Amino acid sequence: MDLHRRHRWDLTPKEAVALQQELRAEVVTDRPLDLAGVRLVAGVDVSVKENVSQAAVVVATFPGFETIEVARAVRPTPFPYVPGLLSFREGPVLEEAFGKLTVEPDVFVFDGSGYAHPRRIGIACHMGLWLGRPTIGCSKTRLTGRHDEVPPEKGAWAPLLDKDEVVGAALRTRASTSPVFVSPGHLIDLASAIDIVMACSPKYRLPQPIRLAHNAAGAFEPGPDLFGRSTDPDRP
DNA sequence: GCGACAG
DNA sequence: ATCTTGTCGC
């Protein structure tokens, strides 16, 4: 891991913004990442239970999505939720989980934004700097930017524009459901990020790595409830 | 000053 | 994120 990018996390919101301004220059979002070379993908997510955050990083084969490793970490939640500063809330517990990995995933998919951020350094970019590995941001809702209506077919997408700059894409990973928001994290470009997220979404709205991480983080239990309805947010 | 605002 | 019941559509 790249120790040079480590830094303290106990900052005030104001200091956190200043740090983001420093780190944004280090983020690389113009590098293609060939799908054909991907063997292992990791999903990253954090669940919060009463001041306690639990992180889960699930490494799975690609394609096939067989889990080969799960790294977890539990810590008191250190920072409030502030739009634009999510990495300062989830970063510490994620670092601990990342430190437990014994394999090196080819790409990490985050439940959150990457470059599609007001200062162009969402959690996927920030943690990508720490990991020194390719990362992708994939959120369920929009943090910043606007986009035209996305065609209804699976795979269709529309550029996410913020201040006349393409910062990501609204991507239809599944027909008849709202699009997800994809943006480069670090060491990858937007086109490659879109390709990978689509390749990771054979059936559900959210890419498989994120679903696996979501489960491992304890956000929801799988299987139908007592009424025969699905408990899975991404299964109608 | 008024909205918008990942998880 | 988490809380929380039923309901609508493919």
Side-chain angles (χ1 to χ4, degrees):
Chain A
M1 54 191 84
D2 186 357
L3 298 179
H4 181 66
R5 296 304 167 208
R6 294 199 63 176
H7 58 73
R8 42 189 321 211
W9 287 108
D10 58 322
L11 307 174
T12 63
K14 195 170 183 175
E15 296 172 324
V17 170
L19 176 59
Q20 289 184 321
Q21 300 290 21
E22 268 180 53
L23 297 177
R24 64 183 298 180
E26 310 299 323
V27 179
V28 174
T29 60
D30 61 1
R31 181 180 302 186
L33 198 168
D34 188 5
L35 238 188
V38 177
R39 295 287 180 278
L40 295 177
V41 294
V44 183
D45 191 35
V46 174
S47 66
V48 181
K49 290 281 187 180
E50 299 167 356
N51 311 315
V52 174
S53 293
Q54 173 158 309
V57 181
V58 178
V59 183
T61 57
F62 177 89
F65 308 107
E66 292 299 319
T67 298
I68 66 166
E69 180 166 39
V70 179
R72 299 169 190 273
V74 180
R75 283 199 181 192
T77 305
F79 200 86
Y81 170 68
V82 180
L85 297 179
L86 184 63
S87 56
F88 294 88
R89 178 178 173 82
E90 304 188 343
V93 70
L94 283 178
E95 279 195 353
E96 189 177 329
F98 288 147
K100 296 179 178 177
L101 289 177
T102 65
V103 293
E104 190 84 298
D106 296 300
V107 60
F108 291 76
V109 183
F110 286 73
D111 188 353
S113 299
Y115 192 74
H117 177 282
R119 289 172 294 283
R120 309 294 183 257
I121 181 160
I123 191 169
C125 301
H126 195 155
M127 301 317 290
L129 290 176
W130 192 87
L131 291 163
R133 300 289 293 172
T135 59
I136 294 171
C138 181
S139 63
K140 297 177 288 301
T141 60
R142 184 185 59 80
L143 169 61
T144 192
R146 297 184 49 170
H147 65 85
D148 289 336
E149 189 175 324
V150 183
E153 324 84 56
K154 178 182 175 74
W157 61 276
L160 236 200
L161 288 160
D162 188 29
K163 297 175 181 174
D164 298 314
E165 179 184 15
V166 176
V167 298
L171 175 66
R172 191 86 67 183
T173 50
R174 176 179 172 143
S176 303
T177 56
S178 52
V180 295
F181 299 84
V182 179
S183 58
H186 184 45
L187 303 177
I188 193 171
D189 61 18
L190 178 59
S192 302
I194 291 173
D195 283 349
I196 291 173
V197 169
M198 276 311 300
C200 286
S201 311
K203 183 171 182 180
Y204 303 114
R205 179 192 179 220
L206 295 184
Q208 212 57 43
I210 287 183
R211 291 169 51 79
L212 294 172
H214 217 287
N215 285 157
F220 62 81
E221 346 299 327
D225 65 18
L226 294 173
F227 291 86
R229 300 173 303 189
S230 172
T231 283
D232 185 335
D234 280 297
R235 192 162 51 201

